[in-house]
Amino acid sequence: MSAARPLHMVYGGTFDPVHRGHTGIARAARDALLAADLEVATFDFLPNADPPHRAPPGAAAGHRVAMLWLALAGERGFGIDLRELRRGGASYMVDTLEELRGELGPEAPLVLLMGEDAWRGFDRWQRWQTIPRLAHLLVVNRPHADLADPSPALAALAREHALPLSQLAESPAGGLCTLSLPPEAASATEVRAAVTLADTAAIAAQLEPAVAAYIARHGLYGAPASAAS
């Protein structure tokens, strides 16, 4: 058994906009790691520039980063890594993890956090088979009725790479851990629709007040002019 080392966590996404589901996943992962007596050296949200598997973001990068900072204000241990925005172009996680691995060295435990919805599409990511050689995967499962079953390739990956959370710090990469949470209604698509419709109840339920105020102030996602005044 290798000596435990501090973990380096990354949580990628468009964050368009960041909502309570995003911060809830990150908070639950952080708390689970600390409860397992694991040391977390860095825990960075990683906004992407041009997501290749979805439509372009509805808000410019500067707005998405500003909303992230507002959502994370007062949260313990979280940061924001802007490397994909600085790099520009299509954002492929494998490129980012290769860059991080080069910076951290071969022995540092690197962990990619993702939600269950992202995991179900993982085998469509660029060079996805390379990613477990660069980082551990920590998949947070919030039950979704509309998600298809994992593909055979993903089911095999989950079986072959299964690792207890408590052992993440003992190797640099290659493990897959799961963390189950209660269902979460928030989604960026629903948030954008709620903003467009001025659905104040849905906005309040899914967004931090500072993020909701920022969206209104800047008229993002079709926010009504009266809300932005």
Side-chain angles (χ1 to χ4, degrees), residues 166-228:
S166 60
Q167 295 181 18
L168 276 177
E170 296 174 12
S171 58
L176 189 148
C177 303
T178 58
L179 180 63
S180 295
L181 298 180
E184 170 60 62
S187 78
T189 300
E190 293 172 356
V191 169
R192 293 191 297 270
V195 169
T196 301
L197 296 171
D199 185 341
T200 55
I203 292 169
Q206 299 187 35
L207 293 177
E208 295 297 333
V211 175
Y214 184 96
I215 289 172
R217 185 165 63 251
H218 293 275
L220 302 179
Y221 310 116
S226 59

Side-chain angles (χ1 to χ4, degrees), residues 19-198:
H19 54 69
R20 295 186 194 274
H22 295 132
T23 53
I25 283 175
R27 194 180 299 116
R30 177 199 62 196
D31 293 348
L33 294 168
L34 295 177
D37 292 325
L38 297 173
E39 181 181 353
V40 180
T42 57
F43 195 135
D44 289 334
F45 284 65
L46 188 72
N48 54 41
D50 180 11
H53 301 302
R54 52 152 284 173
H63 286 310
R64 291 187 285 122
V65 172
M67 289 186 284
L68 262 178
W69 282 122
L70 290 170
L72 299 180
E75 288 282 359
R76 176 170 52 94
F78 293 143
I80 302 176
D81 187 329
L82 299 177
R83 70 181 65 230
E84 291 191 350
L85 296 176
R86 294 190 181 109
R87 191 166 66 222
S91 298
Y92 294 113
M93 181 57 70
V94 67
D95 296 335
T96 298
L97 293 175
E98 286 179 335
E99 188 175 307
L100 282 166
R101 178 55 66 198
E103 295 172 7
L104 296 171
E107 300 300 327
L110 177 59
V111 184
L112 173 61
L113 176 66
M114 65 175 70
E116 178 77 3
D117 52 345
W119 162 248
R120 298 295 176 95
F122 181 67
D123 54 353
R124 297 192 296 274
W125 291 19
Q126 181 87 346
R127 295 166 54 211
W128 66 274
Q129 298 96 331
T130 301
I131 290 177
R133 298 199 291 270
L134 297 167
H136 297 296
L137 305 180
L138 176 53
V139 179
V140 177
N141 175 17
R142 286 188 184 273
H144 295 270
D146 57 345
L147 288 182
D149 291 337
S151 69
L154 289 183
L157 178 66
R159 288 193 305 271
E160 295 165 8
H161 291 260
L163 187 74
L165 188 76
S166 60
Q167 295 181 18
L168 276 177
E170 296 174 12
S171 58
L176 189 148
C177 303
T178 58
L179 180 63
S180 295
L181 298 180
E184 170 60 62
S187 78
T189 300
E190 293 172 356
V191 169
R192 293 191 297 270
V195 169
T196 301
L197 296 171

